[in-house]
Amino acid sequence: MSDFVDVGTDATVRSKTARKYWGRLSSLSRTLLPDSLPGRFFMFMLLLVFASQLVISTVWNFQSWATQEKALENVVSNMAVRVLSTIEYFDSLPERYRHIILDQLRDMGGTRYFVTLNRDFIEIDELPGTRSQDIVINGFKDTLGAFKANGTFSNRDISIAFSAPETLRVFNNNTYLMDLTESWGQHTLIVEPLSLPVLVIQVPVSDNEWLYLATLMPDSGIMSSSLPMDLQVIYLFGLTVLLMFGSWMIYVLTQPVEQLSRAAENFGRSFEPVYLPEEGAREFKTTASAFNRMQRNIQHFLNDRKQLFSGISHDLKTPLTRLRLRAEMLDDDDERQGFVEDIEHLDMMVRSALQMVRDTDIHENPESVDLEQMLENIARAGRSVGQKISVKCHEHEVVTGKPLALRRCLENLIDNAVVYGGSAGISLSVEEGYNRIVIRDQGPGLPEGMEEEVFQPYRRFEHGEACNPGGNGLGLITARHLVGTHGGQLSLRNHPQGGLEVTLTIPCDI
């Protein structure tokens, strides 16, 4: 049983660790990704381009290296045959003619050979092995093996190695190639400013003589897989043009989405329809058509609502007046008073509902609003009639909105704080691109878990009814709707040190 628990616990720990790492990876990806849709498309296009170039470059290099290795093997094979044939011919000469042949080889122009007869074996500071050098050495060894199979060099140990020109010794182990004058063949093995490796072959031709042959092998261009400079310039120019064209296409393709976003934002603030052109790709035409249809339906709904409440207001005036007159004719004072109070309550509810419709349907032209100045004006007016209102403004930004609607919203919330909490402490600041307005009172706050229920129409609590018997329970609904039309949010919470805290967040870029 204990083993089962250990395994389960270990699995739980691994699961939590995996979720933690996935969470960090998701957070990192969200941080690295651009916020805009064109930016994400452009990044995706760059990743595709670089991924395709990586695949193409890998295939190109692999194929190029395979082709170049084959070409190098052929060059090495032919060169090895010529070099070993020359050594075989030199070995067959009488000793008195060998120096004559060496002088002739040294005086030949346009060659990359340096040949001497040395009395000692020259120690070579070998270069670190590379793929191309291994191909050259193995090619010479294979050709040498073929010569030995025919009886040539069968009893000789031939040395083959690569050396740098700077450390290459000639004649003996104390003389360096760099110390010689050009007339002694330095020009044959040094290609400035390059430092090409030198292939050195040493063959014993007698008991105390070694034939020393050095040559540049192979040509550095054989193993080059890079594109020529002119082709690289053309390639980079074409890639730049392709990226510019792709960026333009991304901009064109995402413009309808940006138009849709702006139209939705404007319609959400003012309920003024902004109809989109139903053109372009099939998906966008379908989306634009659905969006335009939604705007028309909502506009019809709002118009119908206005007409409905206007009709209700008109139709209720006459029966309420008749009921009030009939109540006044009752003989029983207590009964008459009860009827009158019920009628007045009914009249108040109707007028409150109509007032809420009017307050949340304010037709104004958006303009710049200084929230600090608006809050100071509201506080000054409240203090003039004895209300306890304090305002503390930190960093803030001017917003574009409907001044009358914003003022009604703030006045409503501040009045609530004064009426139900005795005072209103207001602070204004900017957090993460939002103007944040916090209104705190010193009242008892809300019952636990009622932060959302208080937004229900006509929902009131005992403390509110005691402080303001004439209230109707529609003020918070109106305030939330007015904030929502400006792209903001309204939330309530009981402050840990007492009182109710109302928080409004209004975007700085609305």
Side-chain angles (χ1 to χ4, degrees), residues 120-243:
D120 299 318
F121 177 79
I122 306 299
E123 298 294 335
I124 303 298
D125 297 331
E126 295 190 34
L127 293 175
T130 63
R131 176 62 180 165
S132 57
Q133 293 176 12
D134 292 341
I135 292 176
V136 173
I137 293 176
N138 292 333
F140 266 85
K141 289 182 178 180
D142 292 342
T143 304
L144 178 61
F147 271 75
K148 287 184 176 182
N150 295 329
T152 306
F153 312 119
S154 57
N155 297 323
R156 301 182 190 183
D157 186 14
I158 298 179
S159 172
I160 304 173
F162 273 100
S163 172
E166 297 82 4
T167 60
L168 180 64
R169 300 180 181 90
V170 295
F171 298 124
N172 54 59
N173 285 305
N174 297 319
T175 304
Y176 288 88
L177 175 67
M178 305 299 291
D179 298 333
L180 300 180
T181 63
E182 291 188 1
S183 61
W184 275 93
Q186 187 186 110
H187 67 282
T188 63
L189 299 179
I190 298 179
V191 184
E192 295 182 348
L194 303 177
S195 180
L196 301 178
V198 179
L199 177 65
V200 180
I201 302 174
Q202 298 184 77
V203 182
V205 293
S206 64
D207 293 339
N208 57 353
E209 281 188 319
W210 291 77
L211 178 62
Y212 180 97
L213 187 147
T215 180
L216 294 178
M217 182 67 189
D219 186 356
S220 59
I222 293 179
M223 293 303 291
S224 176
S225 61
S226 60
L227 292 174
M229 182 59 65
D230 55 347
L231 292 181
Q232 291 185 21
V233 172
I234 295 174
Y235 171 76
L236 291 177
F237 176 76
L239 184 61
T240 303
V241 172
L242 177 63
L243 291 177

Side-chain angles (χ1 to χ4, degrees), residues 227-277:
L227 292 174
M229 182 59 65
D230 55 347
L231 292 181
Q232 291 185 21
V233 172
I234 295 174
Y235 171 76
L236 291 177
F237 176 76
L239 184 61
T240 303
V241 172
L242 177 63
L243 291 177
M244 293 176 62
F245 177 75
S247 302
W248 178 75
M249 287 299 300
I250 289 174
Y251 173 78
V252 171
L253 293 175
T254 55
Q255 271 299 104
V257 179
E258 187 175 353
Q259 293 175 0
L260 176 61
S261 175
R262 289 198 299 266
E265 186 175 2
N266 292 333
F267 184 69
R269 290 176 185 168
S270 61
F271 293 109
E272 292 295 333
V274 181
Y275 295 106
L276 299 175

Side-chain angles (χ1 to χ4, degrees), residues 217-478:
M217 182 67 189
D219 186 356
S220 59
I222 293 179
M223 293 303 291
S224 176
S225 61
S226 60
L227 292 174
M229 182 59 65
D230 55 347
L231 292 181
Q232 291 185 21
V233 172
I234 295 174
Y235 171 76
L236 291 177
F237 176 76
L239 184 61
T240 303
V241 172
L242 177 63
L243 291 177
M244 293 176 62
F245 177 75
S247 302
W248 178 75
M249 287 299 300
I250 289 174
Y251 173 78
V252 171
L253 293 175
T254 55
Q255 271 299 104
V257 179
E258 187 175 353
Q259 293 175 0
L260 176 61
S261 175
R262 289 198 299 266
E265 186 175 2
N266 292 333
F267 184 69
R269 290 176 185 168
S270 61
F271 293 109
E272 292 295 333
V274 181
Y275 295 106
L276 299 175
E278 299 179 13
E279 57 186 21
R282 182 179 69 252
E283 291 79 6
F284 179 72
K285 286 193 293 187
T286 302
T287 303
S289 176
F291 182 75
N292 292 336
R293 187 166 56 252
M294 180 195 69
Q295 291 185 105
R296 286 191 291 267
N297 292 338
I298 294 177
Q299 196 66 33
H300 291 160
F301 168 76
L302 294 176
N303 293 333
D304 292 343
R305 189 186 67 164
K306 292 179 185 177
Q307 296 175 4
L308 174 63
F309 276 91
S310 297
I312 292 174
S313 176
H314 180 271
D315 294 341
L316 286 179
K317 285 180 180 179
T318 301
L320 285 175
T321 302
R322 288 199 302 264
L323 286 174
R324 188 175 289 109
L325 290 175
R326 290 180 180 178
E328 294 292 341
M329 296 174 63
L330 293 175
D331 296 331
D332 190 332
D333 292 339
D334 294 336
E335 188 175 358
R336 182 176 62 250
Q337 183 63 27
F339 269 106
V340 171
E341 289 179 357
D342 289 341
I343 293 171
E344 289 179 352
H345 182 66
L346 177 60
D347 186 39
M348 183 270 295
M349 292 180 63
V350 173
R351 284 188 286 105
S352 298
L354 293 175
Q355 183 64 34
M356 186 189 72
V357 174
R358 287 193 293 269
D359 288 344
T360 58
D361 191 26
I362 300 172
H363 293 282
E364 295 183 87
N365 293 325
E367 59 183 73
S368 296
V369 178
D370 188 337
L371 294 176
E372 179 181 6
Q373 187 64 41
M374 180 175 288
L375 289 171
E376 290 289 354
N377 292 339
I378 296 174
R380 189 181 303 111
R383 286 193 290 264
S384 65
V385 293
Q387 295 180 343
K388 296 180 180 180
I389 303 175
S390 62
V391 179
K392 183 183 294 185
C393 292
H394 305 281
E395 179 186 3
H396 69 285
E397 295 186 15
V398 175
V399 300
T400 300
K402 299 179 178 181
L404 181 57
L406 284 174
R407 187 180 181 92
R408 286 186 179 178
C409 172
L410 293 173
E411 285 179 342
N412 196 336
L413 296 174
I414 294 172
D415 286 342
N416 282 352
V418 172
V419 172
Y420 302 117
S423 64
I426 307 169
S427 66
L428 171 63
S429 60
V430 174
E431 293 184 7
E432 299 180 354
Y434 285 84
N435 284 293
R436 188 170 185 265
I437 303 173
V438 178
I439 304 171
R440 181 189 170 193
D441 60 37
Q442 299 298 323
L446 294 173
E448 189 69 25
M450 294 296 176
E451 290 81 2
E452 285 298 323
E453 187 174 346
V454 72
F455 288 101
Q456 297 295 325
Y458 306 110
R459 185 70 170 93
R460 307 192 69 200
F461 300 107
E462 182 178 350
H463 176 72
E465 291 179 348
C467 293
N468 184 20
N472 52 47
L474 297 175
L476 287 177
I477 304 175
T478 304

